[in-house]
Amino acid sequence: MDDADLLRYSRQIMLPDVDMAGQEALSRARILIVGLGGLGSPAALYLAASGVGTLVLADDDQVDLTNLQRQILHGTPDLDRPKAESARDRLHALNPAPRIELIQERLDGDRLHEAVAAADVVLDGTDNFETRFAVNAACVATGTPLVSGAAIRLEGQLGVFRPDLEDGPCYACLFPPDADTPQETCSETGVLGPVVGVIGSLQATEAIRLITGFGTPATGRFTLWDARTGEWRSFTVERDPACQVCGRRG
């Protein structure tokens, strides 16, 4: 790092939990963010600001006026632009150092597997179970840590899943793909903007923890936040030996 980098990241480097070693680890890291909406926006901003070396941004959607109440990567001049391109420009305006790669297509099949396998950490900021299940399956197949976020109405969820660890559960251990889970979306029920901001920021924090290694490993930890009461609940997800996705692993 040059003098400008040392100054830019100085408040982070002075933390004993990060230090120079952690900052250098961030500069070498490659993080895949799937979804550049309400969750992916704050996550991407904080990861770019923190000095992550490579950010891979995956989104095939365009910026819509209804997005701007919560998707802070994008602004009014970005209406009808591809979200991936809008996000790239905003992140480079914040910090020109990270390498930013764009995937402007719906990730699935071999393309999803390749993108996940190349990443050190995957952040899932999507709003539908089909994509979440596919991302989780790819993370299990490649042994890539997954930080999953979700938010709807006044409620947020955060999960950290470690298929790279022998006993690490996966997203499907908690939400089996064949379960009759309600398929609600923000467009149908609404969401408060700061709720996705909180959860997306926590996703960035967990990604940084995974890369730098500080704190207690968050293996299978799932957290719920109710903005109506301000209450947090957290529990640990155990690996399900009968899980359809990871039960055959190991």
Side-chain angles (χ1 to χ4, degrees):
M1 288 185 285
D2 58 24
D3 290 344
D5 289 332
L6 291 172
L7 184 60
R8 177 185 286 269
Y9 307 121
S10 60
R11 301 301 188 272
Q12 196 161 273
I13 292 172
M14 70 174 59
L15 296 171
D17 291 305
V18 178
D19 208 344
M20 282 294 295
Q23 192 62 52
E24 290 172 352
L26 287 172
S27 71
R28 296 189 298 269
R30 180 184 180 90
I31 296 179
L32 168 64
I33 302 176
V34 185
L36 300 171
L39 297 166
S41 286
L45 285 164
Y46 276 115
L47 291 173
S50 72
V52 169
T54 302
L55 289 172
V56 183
L57 310 179
D59 199 305
D60 66 343
D61 201 4
Q62 294 182 328
V63 180
D64 183 80
L65 184 61
T66 60
N67 302 152
L68 301 185
Q69 162 256 359
R70 65 198 178 281
Q71 300 184 16
I72 58 176
L73 265 177
H74 319 291
T76 302
D78 298 311
L79 290 174
D80 298 325
R81 290 188 68 198
K83 286 185 179 179
E85 296 179 13
S86 171
R88 175 199 58 204
D89 294 348
R90 176 70 180 90
L91 296 178
H92 269 162
L94 175 66
N95 186 358
R99 178 181 179 187
I100 297 179
E101 300 178 11
L102 306 185
I103 301 177
Q104 300 185 70
E105 61 187 79
R106 183 170 291 275
L107 276 177
D108 56 21
D110 292 342
R111 187 72 180 92
L112 173 61
H113 184 95
E114 292 169 2
V116 169
D120 296 304
V121 179
V122 174
L123 270 63
D124 183 355
T126 60
D127 62 356
N128 66 88
F129 279 106
E130 180 182 358
T131 304
R132 291 173 190 162
F133 291 143
V135 171
N136 174 69
C139 286
V140 170
T142 59
T144 307
L146 170 64
V147 182
S148 176
I152 196 164
R153 293 183 294 268
L154 297 171
E155 304 153 7
Q157 301 176 355
L158 175 74
V160 181
F161 302 98
R162 300 290 305 277
D164 54 315
L165 301 180
E166 182 178 356
D167 295 325
C170 77
Y171 183 84
C173 292
L174 181 62
F175 296 106
D178 60 356
D180 188 18
T181 307
Q183 300 279 339
E184 296 180 316
T185 65
C186 296
S187 62
E188 298 168 334
T189 64
V191 64
L192 187 67
V195 173
V196 290
V198 169
I199 300 302
S201 297
L202 289 174
Q203 286 184 272
T205 302
E206 292 296 345
I208 292 172
R209 288 196 336 117
L210 287 166
I211 296 298
T212 61
F214 73 78
T216 304
T219 307
R221 188 173 66 208
F222 197 76
T223 301
L224 304 170
W225 181 48
D226 185 345
R228 184 176 289 104
T229 63
E231 294 180 348
W232 295 86
R233 289 186 294 139
S234 185
F235 59 91
T236 300
V237 180
E238 300 293 337
R239 182 179 173 193
D240 181 2
C243 175
Q244 302 171 45
V245 179
C246 73
R248 297 183 298 276
R249 189 177 84 242

